[in-house]
Amino acid sequence: MLEDMQALHFSVGHQRRYLEAVSGFAEFYKEWPPGRLDAQDVAGYLSLLVEQNLPLDTREHVLAALRFLYGVTLGKDWARDLDLPPETGRSGGAMAGTVMQAGPTDLKRPSLRDRMLDDMEVRNLSPRTREHYVDAVAKFVAFHGSQPPGRLGPDHIKAYQLHLMREKRLSQSSVNIAVCALRFFYRVTLKKEWAIEHIHYGKRPRRLPEILSLEEVVEFLEPIRNIKHRALVSTAYATGLRREEVVRLRVPDIDKKRMMIRVIQGKGQKDRYVMLSPGLLALLNEYMKAVHPEGWLFPGQRKGTHLCGDSVGGICRTLRERI
């Protein structure tokens, strides 16, 4: 559009005002570039300007900018028929067609964030994954000055990855979470064919885990006086369950006869069983006699809720500081 205006010798001020008008239109529909919007979208936007009682010259300027965008730059035949709706629409009088009868709430399309959330819900991604993905995309857009993400491409994504590694000094695992989010956003929500080929994962280093000795485990667990905290941390250690898996255990998941613990919808939304050791069973029996949990094995403060996964980390950090 800018090149078209320059070719027609538009003044710099004229170019800037046209671009601002088009940007406002695209931002309203959360759609950039606005090539996928049509005459009905333009008519609805112009109708909204009337309802907001904007000055006539402002409305005419927006109309001229949109006529130029769609008629000259995008070559749409319907652009020449665009016109301002009659002002009688604000007082409830007769409208110039069914398009103008829609209110601003009906016209507003879902935001990119909402579209991404819908795409993740359709694919049944876990709530935590959805939260991480939306947060990662929001930070990426903010890094590039809150530009419409449809304008950003592979070079912007690469620059952001380098920023996370060089300046933020994030681990490769954390950077790869952002990569997963951006891949999903551009491939699924924005339907960019280049997403998979141009958004690259980094190779994660493989390290051997630090394994505590029996004496170190005893030293770590011994200071825990709260029976609930002791049972929680011991269950996580003895079974190898993730934080979110431990706090979501229910009382019936403890199978004392078969000496197993059932994990429902754990990592990857899969059910599985883990072994229940005699020592852990004795501790859990002692805990259940003292606390009498119903439903959730480790209930939260509010009735019907369980502890959050961060509780495990908080307890461990407190213990580490005491040792």
Short mmCIF file of all heavy atoms in Angstrom, two decimals, residues 100-145:
data_model
loop_
_atom_site.label_atom_id
_atom_site.label_comp_id
_atom_site.label_asym_id
_atom_site.label_seq_id
_atom_site.Cartn_x
_atom_site.Cartn_y
_atom_site.Cartn_z
N MET A 100 -25.78 -3.32 7.90
CA MET A 100 -25.74 -2.21 8.84
C MET A 100 -26.58 -2.47 10.07
O MET A 100 -26.57 -1.68 10.99
CB MET A 100 -26.23 -0.93 8.15
CG MET A 100 -25.41 -0.56 6.92
SD MET A 100 -23.67 -0.48 7.33
CE MET A 100 -22.97 -0.32 5.71
N GLN A 101 -27.32 -3.56 10.12
CA GLN A 101 -28.18 -3.82 11.27
C GLN A 101 -27.41 -4.49 12.40
O GLN A 101 -27.91 -4.60 13.51
CB GLN A 101 -29.36 -4.71 10.86
CG GLN A 101 -30.30 -4.00 9.91
CD GLN A 101 -31.38 -4.92 9.41
OE1 GLN A 101 -31.41 -6.08 9.75
NE2 GLN A 101 -32.27 -4.39 8.59
N ALA A 102 -26.21 -4.94 12.12
CA ALA A 102 -25.42 -5.61 13.16
C ALA A 102 -24.80 -4.58 14.09
O ALA A 102 -24.30 -3.56 13.65
CB ALA A 102 -24.33 -6.46 12.53
N GLY A 103 -24.83 -4.86 15.37
CA GLY A 103 -24.21 -3.98 16.35
C GLY A 103 -22.73 -4.26 16.44
O GLY A 103 -22.24 -5.26 15.93
N PRO A 104 -21.98 -3.43 17.16
CA PRO A 104 -20.54 -3.60 17.27
C PRO A 104 -20.15 -4.92 17.93
O PRO A 104 -19.13 -5.50 17.61
CB PRO A 104 -20.09 -2.40 18.12
CG PRO A 104 -21.33 -1.91 18.79
CD PRO A 104 -22.45 -2.23 17.87
N THR A 105 -20.96 -5.42 18.88
CA THR A 105 -20.63 -6.69 19.53
C THR A 105 -20.70 -7.83 18.53
O THR A 105 -19.91 -8.76 18.54
CB THR A 105 -21.59 -6.96 20.70
OG1 THR A 105 -21.52 -5.87 21.61
CG2 THR A 105 -21.22 -8.25 21.41
N ASP A 106 -21.70 -7.78 17.62
CA ASP A 106 -21.84 -8.83 16.61
C ASP A 106 -20.71 -8.78 15.60
O ASP A 106 -20.31 -9.80 15.06
CB ASP A 106 -23.18 -8.68 15.88
CG ASP A 106 -24.35 -8.73 16.86
OD1 ASP A 106 -24.27 -9.54 17.81
OD2 ASP A 106 -25.30 -7.97 16.69
N LEU A 107 -20.19 -7.59 15.33
CA LEU A 107 -19.21 -7.44 14.27
C LEU A 107 -17.81 -7.83 14.71
O LEU A 107 -17.01 -8.25 13.89
CB LEU A 107 -19.19 -5.98 13.80
CG LEU A 107 -20.45 -5.51 13.08
CD1 LEU A 107 -20.40 -4.01 12.92
CD2 LEU A 107 -20.57 -6.19 11.73
N LYS A 108 -17.54 -7.69 15.99
CA LYS A 108 -16.17 -7.89 16.43
C LYS A 108 -15.78 -9.36 16.37
O LYS A 108 -16.41 -10.22 16.99
CB LYS A 108 -16.01 -7.38 17.86
CG LYS A 108 -14.55 -7.26 18.27
CD LYS A 108 -14.40 -6.48 19.53
CE LYS A 108 -12.94 -6.26 19.87
NZ LYS A 108 -12.77 -5.46 21.07
N ARG A 109 -14.75 -9.67 15.64
CA ARG A 109 -14.29 -11.04 15.50
C ARG A 109 -13.46 -11.44 16.72
O ARG A 109 -12.96 -10.60 17.44
CB ARG A 109 -13.44 -11.18 14.24
CG ARG A 109 -14.22 -10.95 12.97
CD ARG A 109 -13.35 -11.30 11.78
NE ARG A 109 -14.13 -11.24 10.56
CZ ARG A 109 -13.67 -11.63 9.37
NH1 ARG A 109 -12.44 -12.09 9.28
NH2 ARG A 109 -14.43 -11.57 8.32
N PRO A 110 -13.33 -12.76 16.95
CA PRO A 110 -12.49 -13.20 18.07
C PRO A 110 -11.06 -12.69 17.90
O PRO A 110 -10.53 -12.63 16.79
CB PRO A 110 -12.54 -14.73 17.97
CG PRO A 110 -13.78 -15.02 17.17
CD PRO A 110 -13.93 -13.88 16.23
N SER A 111 -10.44 -12.31 19.00
CA SER A 111 -9.04 -11.87 18.95
C SER A 111 -8.15 -13.06 18.61
O SER A 111 -8.56 -14.22 18.70
CB SER A 111 -8.63 -11.27 20.29
OG SER A 111 -8.62 -12.29 21.29
N LEU A 112 -6.91 -12.75 18.23
CA LEU A 112 -5.97 -13.83 17.94
C LEU A 112 -5.76 -14.70 19.17
O LEU A 112 -5.61 -15.92 19.06
CB LEU A 112 -4.64 -13.24 17.48
CG LEU A 112 -4.61 -12.68 16.06
CD1 LEU A 112 -3.25 -12.05 15.77
CD2 LEU A 112 -4.91 -13.76 15.03
N ARG A 113 -5.76 -14.08 20.34
CA ARG A 113 -5.61 -14.87 21.57
C ARG A 113 -6.75 -15.86 21.72
O ARG A 113 -6.53 -17.03 22.04
CB ARG A 113 -5.56 -13.93 22.77
CG ARG A 113 -5.37 -14.63 24.11
CD ARG A 113 -5.36 -13.62 25.25
NE ARG A 113 -5.10 -14.24 26.52
CZ ARG A 113 -6.03 -14.82 27.27
NH1 ARG A 113 -7.29 -14.82 26.83
NH2 ARG A 113 -5.72 -15.37 28.42
N ASP A 114 -7.98 -15.38 21.50
CA ASP A 114 -9.13 -16.27 21.62
C ASP A 114 -9.10 -17.37 20.57
O ASP A 114 -9.46 -18.52 20.84
CB ASP A 114 -10.43 -15.47 21.50
CG ASP A 114 -10.65 -14.56 22.71
OD1 ASP A 114 -10.09 -14.86 23.77
OD2 ASP A 114 -11.37 -13.57 22.56
N ARG A 115 -8.67 -17.01 19.37
CA ARG A 115 -8.58 -18.02 18.31
C ARG A 115 -7.55 -19.09 18.66
O ARG A 115 -7.76 -20.28 18.44
CB ARG A 115 -8.23 -17.36 16.98
CG ARG A 115 -9.41 -16.63 16.34
CD ARG A 115 -8.96 -15.70 15.23
NE ARG A 115 -8.13 -16.36 14.24
CZ ARG A 115 -7.50 -15.71 13.25
NH1 ARG A 115 -7.62 -14.39 13.17
NH2 ARG A 115 -6.79 -16.37 12.37
N MET A 116 -6.43 -18.66 19.23
CA MET A 116 -5.41 -19.62 19.63
C MET A 116 -5.91 -20.52 20.76
O MET A 116 -5.68 -21.73 20.76
CB MET A 116 -4.15 -18.88 20.07
CG MET A 116 -2.99 -19.79 20.42
SD MET A 116 -1.51 -18.87 20.90
CE MET A 116 -0.37 -20.21 21.24
N LEU A 117 -6.62 -19.93 21.72
CA LEU A 117 -7.19 -20.72 22.81
C LEU A 117 -8.19 -21.73 22.28
O LEU A 117 -8.23 -22.89 22.74
CB LEU A 117 -7.85 -19.80 23.84
CG LEU A 117 -6.91 -19.01 24.74
CD1 LEU A 117 -7.69 -17.97 25.55
CD2 LEU A 117 -6.15 -19.94 25.67
N ASP A 118 -9.00 -21.32 21.32
CA ASP A 118 -9.96 -22.25 20.71
C ASP A 118 -9.23 -23.39 20.00
O ASP A 118 -9.64 -24.56 20.10
CB ASP A 118 -10.85 -21.52 19.72
CG ASP A 118 -11.84 -20.57 20.40
OD1 ASP A 118 -12.05 -20.73 21.62
OD2 ASP A 118 -12.40 -19.70 19.72
N ASP A 119 -8.17 -23.06 19.28
CA ASP A 119 -7.40 -24.09 18.57
C ASP A 119 -6.79 -25.09 19.55
O ASP A 119 -6.76 -26.30 19.28
CB ASP A 119 -6.29 -23.45 17.74
CG ASP A 119 -6.82 -22.66 16.55
OD1 ASP A 119 -7.92 -23.00 16.07
OD2 ASP A 119 -6.15 -21.70 16.12
N MET A 120 -6.32 -24.60 20.69
CA MET A 120 -5.73 -25.50 21.67
C MET A 120 -6.79 -26.35 22.36
O MET A 120 -6.56 -27.52 22.67
CB MET A 120 -4.93 -24.70 22.70
CG MET A 120 -3.67 -24.07 22.14
SD MET A 120 -2.58 -23.33 23.40
CE MET A 120 -3.54 -21.88 23.85
N GLU A 121 -7.97 -25.76 22.57
CA GLU A 121 -9.04 -26.52 23.20
C GLU A 121 -9.53 -27.64 22.28
O GLU A 121 -9.78 -28.76 22.74
CB GLU A 121 -10.21 -25.59 23.54
CG GLU A 121 -11.35 -26.28 24.27
CD GLU A 121 -12.45 -25.33 24.68
OE1 GLU A 121 -12.28 -24.10 24.48
OE2 GLU A 121 -13.48 -25.80 25.19
N VAL A 122 -9.65 -27.35 21.00
CA VAL A 122 -10.07 -28.37 20.04
C VAL A 122 -9.10 -29.55 20.04
O VAL A 122 -9.50 -30.72 19.91
CB VAL A 122 -10.16 -27.75 18.63
CG1 VAL A 122 -10.26 -28.84 17.56
CG2 VAL A 122 -11.38 -26.84 18.53
N ARG A 123 -7.81 -29.26 20.22
CA ARG A 123 -6.79 -30.32 20.23
C ARG A 123 -6.56 -30.89 21.62
O ARG A 123 -5.68 -31.73 21.82
CB ARG A 123 -5.47 -29.77 19.65
CG ARG A 123 -5.57 -29.59 18.14
CD ARG A 123 -4.61 -28.55 17.62
NE ARG A 123 -4.74 -28.40 16.18
CZ ARG A 123 -5.70 -27.68 15.60
NH1 ARG A 123 -6.60 -27.07 16.35
NH2 ARG A 123 -5.77 -27.59 14.30
N ASN A 124 -7.38 -30.44 22.59
CA ASN A 124 -7.39 -30.98 23.94
C ASN A 124 -6.02 -30.86 24.62
O ASN A 124 -5.59 -31.77 25.35
CB ASN A 124 -7.83 -32.45 23.94
CG ASN A 124 -8.30 -32.90 25.32
OD1 ASN A 124 -8.79 -32.11 26.11
ND2 ASN A 124 -8.13 -34.19 25.62
N LEU A 125 -5.34 -29.75 24.40
CA LEU A 125 -4.10 -29.51 25.13
C LEU A 125 -4.42 -29.23 26.59
O LEU A 125 -5.47 -28.68 26.92
CB LEU A 125 -3.33 -28.33 24.52
CG LEU A 125 -2.91 -28.47 23.05
CD1 LEU A 125 -2.00 -27.31 22.66
CD2 LEU A 125 -2.18 -29.79 22.79
N SER A 126 -3.52 -29.58 27.47
CA SER A 126 -3.76 -29.41 28.90
C SER A 126 -3.86 -27.92 29.26
O SER A 126 -3.27 -27.07 28.57
CB SER A 126 -2.64 -30.06 29.71
OG SER A 126 -1.44 -29.32 29.57
N PRO A 127 -4.59 -27.59 30.32
CA PRO A 127 -4.70 -26.18 30.73
C PRO A 127 -3.34 -25.52 30.97
O PRO A 127 -3.15 -24.35 30.64
CB PRO A 127 -5.52 -26.25 32.02
CG PRO A 127 -6.33 -27.50 31.88
CD PRO A 127 -5.44 -28.46 31.15
N ARG A 128 -2.40 -26.26 31.53
CA ARG A 128 -1.07 -25.69 31.80
C ARG A 128 -0.34 -25.39 30.50
O ARG A 128 0.34 -24.36 30.37
CB ARG A 128 -0.26 -26.64 32.66
CG ARG A 128 0.94 -25.98 33.33
CD ARG A 128 1.56 -26.88 34.37
NE ARG A 128 2.61 -26.23 35.13
CZ ARG A 128 2.41 -25.48 36.18
NH1 ARG A 128 1.19 -25.28 36.62
NH2 ARG A 128 3.41 -24.91 36.82
N THR A 129 -0.48 -26.29 29.51
CA THR A 129 0.15 -26.05 28.20
C THR A 129 -0.46 -24.82 27.54
O THR A 129 0.26 -23.99 26.98
CB THR A 129 -0.04 -27.28 27.29
OG1 THR A 129 0.62 -28.41 27.88
CG2 THR A 129 0.56 -27.03 25.92
N ARG A 130 -1.76 -24.68 27.61
CA ARG A 130 -2.42 -23.50 27.03
C ARG A 130 -1.90 -22.22 27.68
O ARG A 130 -1.63 -21.23 26.99
CB ARG A 130 -3.93 -23.60 27.22
CG ARG A 130 -4.58 -24.82 26.57
CD ARG A 130 -6.07 -24.83 26.85
NE ARG A 130 -6.62 -26.17 26.72
CZ ARG A 130 -7.90 -26.48 26.93
NH1 ARG A 130 -8.75 -25.52 27.27
NH2 ARG A 130 -8.32 -27.73 26.80
N GLU A 131 -1.77 -22.26 29.00
CA GLU A 131 -1.29 -21.08 29.72
C GLU A 131 0.14 -20.72 29.29
O GLU A 131 0.44 -19.56 29.03
CB GLU A 131 -1.33 -21.38 31.22
CG GLU A 131 -0.81 -20.25 32.11
CD GLU A 131 -0.79 -20.64 33.58
OE1 GLU A 131 -1.47 -21.62 33.94
OE2 GLU A 131 -0.09 -19.97 34.35
N HIS A 132 1.01 -21.73 29.20
CA HIS A 132 2.40 -21.49 28.80
C HIS A 132 2.46 -20.96 27.36
O HIS A 132 3.25 -20.05 27.07
CB HIS A 132 3.21 -22.77 28.91
CG HIS A 132 3.55 -23.15 30.32
ND1 HIS A 132 3.90 -22.23 31.28
CD2 HIS A 132 3.58 -24.36 30.93
CE1 HIS A 132 4.14 -22.86 32.42
NE2 HIS A 132 3.95 -24.14 32.24
N TYR A 133 1.68 -21.53 26.45
CA TYR A 133 1.72 -21.13 25.05
C TYR A 133 1.26 -19.69 24.87
O TYR A 133 1.89 -18.90 24.15
CB TYR A 133 0.85 -22.07 24.20
CG TYR A 133 1.53 -23.36 23.80
CD1 TYR A 133 2.64 -23.83 24.48
CD2 TYR A 133 1.04 -24.13 22.74
CE1 TYR A 133 3.26 -25.02 24.11
CE2 TYR A 133 1.66 -25.32 22.36
CZ TYR A 133 2.76 -25.75 23.06
OH TYR A 133 3.37 -26.92 22.69
N VAL A 134 0.14 -19.34 25.49
CA VAL A 134 -0.38 -17.97 25.36
C VAL A 134 0.61 -16.97 25.94
O VAL A 134 0.86 -15.90 25.36
CB VAL A 134 -1.75 -17.85 26.06
CG1 VAL A 134 -2.17 -16.38 26.17
CG2 VAL A 134 -2.80 -18.63 25.30
N ASP A 135 1.20 -17.30 27.08
CA ASP A 135 2.19 -16.42 27.71
C ASP A 135 3.41 -16.25 26.82
O ASP A 135 3.94 -15.14 26.68
CB ASP A 135 2.59 -16.99 29.07
CG ASP A 135 3.58 -16.09 29.80
OD1 ASP A 135 3.23 -14.96 30.13
OD2 ASP A 135 4.72 -16.55 30.02
N ALA A 136 3.87 -17.35 26.20
CA ALA A 136 5.06 -17.29 25.34
C ALA A 136 4.81 -16.41 24.12
O ALA A 136 5.67 -15.61 23.73
CB ALA A 136 5.47 -18.69 24.91
N VAL A 137 3.66 -16.54 23.49
CA VAL A 137 3.34 -15.73 22.31
C VAL A 137 3.20 -14.27 22.70
O VAL A 137 3.65 -13.37 21.97
CB VAL A 137 2.06 -16.25 21.62
CG1 VAL A 137 1.63 -15.30 20.50
CG2 VAL A 137 2.29 -17.65 21.05
N ALA A 138 2.58 -13.99 23.85
CA ALA A 138 2.41 -12.61 24.30
C ALA A 138 3.78 -11.94 24.53
O ALA A 138 3.98 -10.78 24.16
CB ALA A 138 1.58 -12.57 25.58
N LYS A 139 4.71 -12.67 25.11
CA LYS A 139 6.05 -12.11 25.35
C LYS A 139 6.79 -11.89 24.04
O LYS A 139 7.54 -10.93 23.89
CB LYS A 139 6.84 -13.04 26.26
CG LYS A 139 6.34 -13.05 27.70
CD LYS A 139 7.14 -14.00 28.58
CE LYS A 139 6.66 -13.95 30.02
NZ LYS A 139 7.35 -14.93 30.88
N PHE A 140 6.58 -12.79 23.08
CA PHE A 140 7.21 -12.63 21.76
C PHE A 140 6.70 -11.36 21.07
O PHE A 140 7.49 -10.57 20.53
CB PHE A 140 6.90 -13.86 20.90
CG PHE A 140 7.17 -13.69 19.44
CD1 PHE A 140 8.47 -13.61 18.95
CD2 PHE A 140 6.12 -13.62 18.53
CE1 PHE A 140 8.71 -13.46 17.60
CE2 PHE A 140 6.35 -13.47 17.17
CZ PHE A 140 7.65 -13.39 16.71
N VAL A 141 5.40 -11.14 21.10
CA VAL A 141 4.81 -9.95 20.48
C VAL A 141 5.29 -8.69 21.20
O VAL A 141 5.63 -7.69 20.57
CB VAL A 141 3.27 -10.05 20.48
CG1 VAL A 141 2.65 -8.75 19.98
CG2 VAL A 141 2.81 -11.21 19.61
N ALA A 142 5.33 -8.72 22.53
CA ALA A 142 5.79 -7.56 23.29
C ALA A 142 7.25 -7.24 22.98
O ALA A 142 7.63 -6.07 22.92
CB ALA A 142 5.61 -7.83 24.79
N PHE A 143 8.07 -8.26 22.77
CA PHE A 143 9.48 -8.05 22.45
C PHE A 143 9.63 -7.26 21.17
O PHE A 143 10.58 -6.47 21.02
CB PHE A 143 10.18 -9.41 22.33
CG PHE A 143 11.61 -9.33 21.86
CD1 PHE A 143 12.62 -8.90 22.70
CD2 PHE A 143 11.95 -9.67 20.56
CE1 PHE A 143 13.94 -8.82 22.26
CE2 PHE A 143 13.26 -9.60 20.11
CZ PHE A 143 14.26 -9.17 20.97
N HIS A 144 8.73 -7.46 20.23
CA HIS A 144 8.80 -6.76 18.94
C HIS A 144 7.88 -5.54 18.90
O HIS A 144 7.37 -5.15 17.84
CB HIS A 144 8.45 -7.72 17.80
CG HIS A 144 9.52 -8.73 17.52
ND1 HIS A 144 10.74 -8.39 16.98
CD2 HIS A 144 9.56 -10.08 17.72
CE1 HIS A 144 11.49 -9.47 16.85
NE2 HIS A 144 10.81 -10.50 17.29
N GLY A 145 7.67 -4.93 20.07
CA GLY A 145 6.94 -3.67 20.11
C GLY A 145 5.46 -3.79 19.88
O GLY A 145 4.82 -2.85 19.40
#
